[in-house]
Amino acid sequence: MAILWLKAFHVFFMIAWMAGIFYLPRLFVYHAETSDQAVRDQFKIMERRLWFFVTPFALLTLVLGAIIMYLYGSAWLKASAWLHAKLAIVALFYVYHFYLYYLMKVFAADKNKHGTRFYRFLNEAPVLALLAIVLLAILKPF
């Protein structure tokens, strides 16, 4: 029963994390569109607060996922090829998370060089990666 609680909180923290890192690039779109410095300064505050709000969710998702894998054991881990694929995509999400941090710092220094199209793609493409994670976790295709 305890593992079900761990899974429930793992999924909850993952959803909270994803909500935040899907919204942050949307803020970047709006930030890149504006030329008003007061509005840019407001976006800087919003972006910073959002990134630091969702980062603990990313950490909790990671910790709970590691605990769940530990509880299932190394034999299960070795036999679960679907999990290896899922973990590879999850690793890319952590890279993405810290890339958003880098972009946030670029915006904070008023040195953005990308247009809104770049940020729109950055906002929408990870949805496919999340779909892959969900399909792997639920269907366990291999």
Side-chain angles (χ1 to χ4, degrees), residues 35-132:
S35 58
D36 184 326
Q37 189 59 45
V39 174
R40 285 183 179 181
D41 291 341
Q42 185 62 43
F43 277 122
K44 290 175 192 178
I45 293 167
M46 293 169 65
E47 292 156 359
R48 183 178 179 282
R49 286 181 179 170
L50 180 59
W51 195 87
F52 283 103
F53 178 74
V54 300
T55 297
F57 297 139
L59 180 61
L60 289 165
T61 301
L62 180 66
V63 168
L64 291 175
I67 292 169
I68 291 166
M69 287 187 300
Y70 174 79
L71 291 175
Y72 273 107
S74 61
W76 172 80
L77 181 61
K78 288 177 188 173
S80 301
W82 65 269
L83 182 60
H84 296 256
K86 177 189 167 205
L87 291 174
I89 299 168
V90 168
L92 292 174
F93 261 112
Y94 283 94
V95 170
Y96 176 76
H97 183 87
F98 286 100
Y99 181 61
L100 294 179
Y101 178 79
Y102 164 77
L103 291 173
M104 181 185 68
K105 289 298 194 180
V106 168
F107 273 112
D110 290 322
K111 296 185 179 194
N112 175 47
K113 300 208 184 308
H114 298 291
T116 58
R117 178 179 264 180
F118 173 80
Y119 294 111
R120 287 180 199 281
F121 175 78
L122 197 66
N123 177 232
E124 295 163 3
V127 171
L128 298 176
L130 180 59
L131 175 62

